[in-house]
C-alpha cells in the first residue's frame, strides 16, 4: 500500500474528530475572552468604584462578573466533555484497525519471537496501550492548554496597552517559558521512549510467566524469573523517575518564574503609579492579566510529558498501520470444490529472512488426504501455515480451484478452511462458541455436527454443562487431549473444503486417534481435502498420499504406501532423487 494511502488512513481518524476540535477551538476562544473578567473587574473596582464610593456600581459589577464567571465555568465543562468524546471517537475510528494490527502483526514475526524494543510494533498489546495513551491525552488538560496558547499574544497586547513596561516584562517571561518548553521537549523525548521499551519488556515477562505458570513452578524457575522481572521493572522505574523528575523540575521552575513575574508586575505598576504614569487599578489588573497570559504556557510545560508520549504513541501506531495495511476486498469467488495446488512455493520466516521452504510443488484433488512427514525443523509446519494463508509465500502460489489464496479476504477464506495448529488455542467462552468460531447465532445443529465429525460429541456431553461448559482463557479446565479434540471439531465446523491438521494426535489416546482417523476419512468422503502434518505414522491412517519434506525441500510425493516404504525404511539421502512422483 502506498504511503499516501496510509497517510490518508491515519489522518482520516483525525478528520473524523475535526468537528470536535473545531468546537474546542471555538470554546477556547470564548473562554479566553471571559478570562479577562477578573482583570477588568479589578480595574473597574479600583478606578471607578473606590473613587466614586458607589455601592450600586459595585453591586452591578459583582453581578456581571458572577454571570461571566458562570458562563466561563460552563464553557470549560463543555470543552472538557467534548475533548473526552473526541478521544472516544478517535478510539472508535482506530480501534478496529488496532486490533487487526495486534492480530496480524505476529504473523509477520517468527513463531514465539519476542519484541526487542518498543518500536517493534504488533508484539503484545503495545498498539492498544498506545491508543489508550492517545485517548487519555485528549481527555486530559493538555489539549486545552494547547488551544489556549494562540491567545497569549492577545493578552500580551493588552499588557502593552496598560503600559509598555508591563508588556515588555510579560513578553520576556513568555520567551523564557517558550525556552523551557523547548528544553522539556529535548530532555523528555528519549527517556519516554526508553520507558515505553522497558515497560513492554516488563509486561511481556509477566505475561509469559503467567501463561506458563505450571512449567515455571515445576521447573523451579519462579525465583529466577522474578529476579529477571525485577531487573526489567527497575529499569522501567528508573526511566519513569528520570522523566518525572525532569518534567517536575521544569514545571516548578516555570511556576516559580510566573509567580515572581506576577510580583514583579505589581512592583512595576506601583512604580508607574508613583510616577503618575498609571492608575491604581492597573497595578492589580496587570498582575492578574500577566498571570493569565502565562498560564497556558505553564500548563503546557506541565503536560509536556503527556504530549510527547501521545505524539510518540501516534507515530508508532502510524508506522504499525503502515506495515499492516487493511485487507483489500477482492471479487467474491465461488466456494472451492476441486483442488489444492502448490506451485513452486518458497517461504521465508517472517521477520527473520531465513528460507524454510524452497520450491515446493504438488497438487491434491477433492476426496484425497495428504500426510506431510519429515524430521523436526524440516519445514512441515511452515508449509501448513502457507496452505491456510497464514504465511504468504515469498515466491510461487497456493491455489484453491486455480485461485491464489490472496484473492480471498481472511474472513471469506476462513469459511472454506479448517485448521488445527500444534498449540491448540481455545478462548474464554463456552465450548459451543469455540467450536462455532464465535460465529453470532451459530446454528446448534452445525455445532453438534462438527463435534460428531470430530468424534468429541460424547466427550462434551459428559462435561458438567455439555456444550454450554464455560472455558477459561486458553481452554483452562480441559486436558490437553480434550483441547485438541475440541480444536479438531472447530476445524471441521461447517464442513470446510480444505482441512489442515498440524500434529493432530500429539496429545491423543487410542480412542482419540481412532476419532481422528474417522474425521479425516469423513472429510474425504464428503469431497473435501484433508492434510495432516505428522511425526507418528498412526496419524496417517486416513490419508492416501504422502509428501516427504527434508531441509525445507520436498523429497518425495506419491501414494502413501510407496512413499512410506521408501522414506521410513530406506531413509534416502538428502540429495537423493526418488522414483516416485518427483517434485522439482
Amino acid at each position: 500500500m502506498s504511503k499516501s494511502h496510509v497517510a490518508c488512513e491515519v489522518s482520516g481518524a483525525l478528520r473524523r474528530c475535526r468537528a470536535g476540535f473545531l468546537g474546542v477551538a471555538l470554546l477556547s476562544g470564548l473562554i479566553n475572552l471571559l478570562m479577562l473578567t477578573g482583570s477588568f473587574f479589578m480595574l473597574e473596582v479600583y478606578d471607578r468604584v473606590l473613587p466614586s464610593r458607589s455601592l450600586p456600581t459595585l453591586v452591578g459589577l459583582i453581578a456581571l462578573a458572577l454571570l461571566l464567571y458562570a458562563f466561563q465555568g460552563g464553557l470549560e465543562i463543555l470543552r472538557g466533555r467534548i475533548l473526552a468524546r473526541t478521544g472516544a471517537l478517535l478510539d472508535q475510528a482506530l480501534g478496529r484497525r488496532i486490533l487487526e494490527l495486534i492480530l496480524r502483526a505476529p504473523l509477520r514475526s517468527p513463531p514465539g519471537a519476542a519484541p526487542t524494543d518498543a518500536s517493534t510494533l504488533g508484539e503484545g498489546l503495545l498498539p492498544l496501550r498506545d491508543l489508550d495513551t492517545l485517548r487519555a491525552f485528549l481527555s486530559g488538560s493538555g489539549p486545552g492548554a494547547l488551544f489556549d496558547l494562540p491567545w497569549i499574544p492577545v493578552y500580551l497586547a493588552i499588557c502593552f496597552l496598560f503600559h509598555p513596561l508591563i508588556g515588555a516584562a510579560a513578553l520576556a517571561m513568555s520567551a523564557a517559558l517558550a525556552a523551557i518548553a523547548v528544553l522539556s521537549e529535548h530532555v523528555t523525548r528519549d527517556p519516554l521512549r526508553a520507558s515505553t521499551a522497558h515497560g513492554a519488556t516488563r509486561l511481556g515477562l509477566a505475561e509469559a510467566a503467567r501463561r506458563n505458570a505450571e512449567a515455571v513452578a515445576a521447573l523451579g524457575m519462579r525465583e529466577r524469573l522474578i529476579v529477571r522481572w525485577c531487573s526489567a521493572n527497575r529499569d522501567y522505574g528508573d526511566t519513569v523517575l528520570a522523566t518525572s523528575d525532569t518534567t517536575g523540575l521544569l514545571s516548578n521552575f516555570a511556576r516559580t518564574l510566573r509567580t515572581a513575574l506576577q510580583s514583579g508586575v505589581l512592583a512595576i505598576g506601583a512604580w508607574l503609579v508613583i510616577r503618575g504614569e498609571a492608575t491604581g487599578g492597573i497595578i492589580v489588573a496587570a498582575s492578574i492579566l500577566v498571570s493569565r497570559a502565562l498560564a497556558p504556557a505553564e500548563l503546557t510545560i506541565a503536560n509536556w510529558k503527556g504530549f510527547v508520549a501521545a505524539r510518540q504513541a501516534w507515530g508508532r501506531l502510524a508506522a504499525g498501520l503502515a506495515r499492516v495495511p487493511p485487507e483489500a476486498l477482492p471479487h467474491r469467488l465461488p466456494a472451492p470444490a476441486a483442488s489444492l495446488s502448490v506451485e513452486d512455493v518458497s517461504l521465508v520466516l517472517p521477520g527473520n529472512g531465513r528460507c524454510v521452504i524452497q520450491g515446493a510443488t504438488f497438487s491434491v484433488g477433492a476426496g484425497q488426504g495428504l500426510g506431510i512427514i519429515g524430521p523436526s525443523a524440516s519445514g512441515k509446519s511452515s508449509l501448513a501455515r502457507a496452505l491456510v494463508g497464514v504465511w504468504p509465500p515469498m515466491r510461487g502460489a497456493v491455489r484453491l480451484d486455480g485461485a491464489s489464496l490472496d484473492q480471498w479476504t481472511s474472513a471469506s477464506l476462513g469459511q472454506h478452511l479448517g485448521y488445527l495448529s500444534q498449540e491448540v488455542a481455545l478462548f474464554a467462552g463456552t465450548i459451543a462458541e469455540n467450536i462455532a468460531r464465535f460465529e453470532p447465532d451459530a446454528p446448534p445443529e452445525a455445532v453438534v455436527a462438527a463435534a460428531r465429525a470430530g468424534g468429541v460429541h460424547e466427550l462434551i456431553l459428559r462435561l458438567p454443562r455439555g456444550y454450554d461448559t464455560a472455558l477459561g482463557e486458553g481452554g483452562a479446565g480441559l486436558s490437553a487431549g480434550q483441547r485438541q479434540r475440541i480444536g479438531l471439531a472447530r476445524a471441521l465446523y461447517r464442513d470446510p473444503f480444505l482441512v489442515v491438521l498440524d500434529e493432530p494426535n500429539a496429545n491423543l489416546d487410542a480412542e482419540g486417534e481412532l476419532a481422528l482417523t474417522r474425521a479425516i476419512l469423513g472429510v474425504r468422503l464428503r469431497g473435501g481435502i484433508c492434510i495432516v502434518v505428522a511425526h507418528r505414522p498412526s496419524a496417517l491412517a486416513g490419508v492416501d498420499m504422502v509428501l516427504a519434506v527434508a531441509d525445507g525441500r520436498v523429497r518425495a510425493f506419491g501414494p502413501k504406501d510407496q512413499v512410506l516404504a521408501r522414506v521410513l525404511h530406506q531413509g534416502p539421502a538428502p540429495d537423493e532423487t526418488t522414483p516416485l512422483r518427483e517434485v522439482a
Side-chain angles (χ1 to χ4, degrees), residues 418-422 424 483-484 487-488 490-491 500-504:
Y419 179 57
L420 179 65
S421 60
Q422 288 186 22
V424 182
R483 288 197 298 270
Q484 197 156 39
L488 174 62
R490 180 178 61 186
V500 179
L501 310 176
D502 192 356
E503 297 289 348

Side-chain angles (χ1 to χ4, degrees), residues 261-555:
L261 176 65
Q262 192 170 0
S263 298
V265 168
L266 283 173
I268 292 173
W271 182 71
L272 292 174
V273 171
I274 292 173
R275 291 173 54 88
E277 298 181 21
T279 64
I282 289 181
I283 299 177
V284 180
S287 175
I288 297 175
L289 187 63
V290 169
S291 176
R292 177 55 206 164
L294 301 179
E298 180 188 340
L299 188 58
T300 299
I301 293 172
N303 286 277
W304 202 262
K305 174 183 174 182
F307 171 70
V308 173
R311 191 180 61 198
Q312 290 180 355
W314 181 261
R316 286 191 296 267
L317 288 178
L321 293 175
R323 286 195 291 269
V324 185
E327 288 185 304
L329 295 177
H331 183 76
R332 187 177 182 86
L333 296 174
S339 66
L340 165 73
S341 59
V342 177
E343 302 174 353
D344 193 28
V345 164
S346 293
L347 289 176
V348 172
L349 197 63
N352 184 297
R354 181 169 62 88
C355 190
V356 290
I357 290 292
Q358 301 179 49
T361 300
F362 61 90
S363 62
V364 187
Q368 288 189 307
L370 173 67
I372 301 179
I373 62 173
S376 298
S378 60
K380 303 186 302 298
S381 294
S382 299
L383 182 57
R385 294 184 180 99
L387 295 180
V388 294
V390 172
W391 285 1
M394 177 191 70
R395 186 181 64 198
V398 177
R399 301 182 181 276
L400 287 174
D401 288 5
S404 60
L405 297 187
D406 58 12
Q407 296 183 38
W408 276 278
T409 64
S410 175
S412 60
L413 180 63
Q415 300 174 12
H416 312 304
L417 297 181
Y419 179 57
L420 179 65
S421 60
Q422 288 186 22
E423 297 182 2
V424 182
L426 300 181
F427 302 91
T430 66
I431 289 179
E433 289 174 330
N434 274 275
I435 292 177
R437 310 179 185 184
F438 288 89
E439 177 186 325
D441 302 320
E445 56 273 17
V447 175
V448 173
R452 290 185 184 278
V456 74
H457 175 68
E458 298 297 331
L459 183 152
I460 294 175
L461 293 181
R462 290 195 296 269
L463 295 175
R465 298 191 60 193
Y467 284 89
D468 293 322
T469 300
L471 302 180
E473 181 183 355
L478 298 177
S479 68
Q482 289 174 324
R483 288 197 298 270
Q484 197 156 39
R485 295 181 68 179
I486 290 175
L488 174 62
R490 180 178 61 186
L492 300 174
Y493 179 68
R494 287 193 178 278
D495 297 334
F497 172 68
L498 174 62
V499 178
V500 179
L501 310 176
D502 192 356
E503 297 289 348
N505 62 338
N507 300 301
L508 298 184
D509 54 14
E511 179 185 354
E513 289 196 341
L514 180 60
L516 172 64
T517 300
R518 290 173 177 169
I520 295 171
L521 293 174
V523 172
R524 294 178 57 191
L525 285 173
R526 61 175 172 78
I529 295 174
C530 190
I531 296 179
V532 183
V533 177
H535 276 295
R536 291 158 55 183
S538 58
L540 305 179
V543 305
D544 60 336
M545 305 288 288
V546 167
L547 179 80
V549 181
D551 298 326
R553 294 183 179 275
V554 175
R555 299 302 181 182

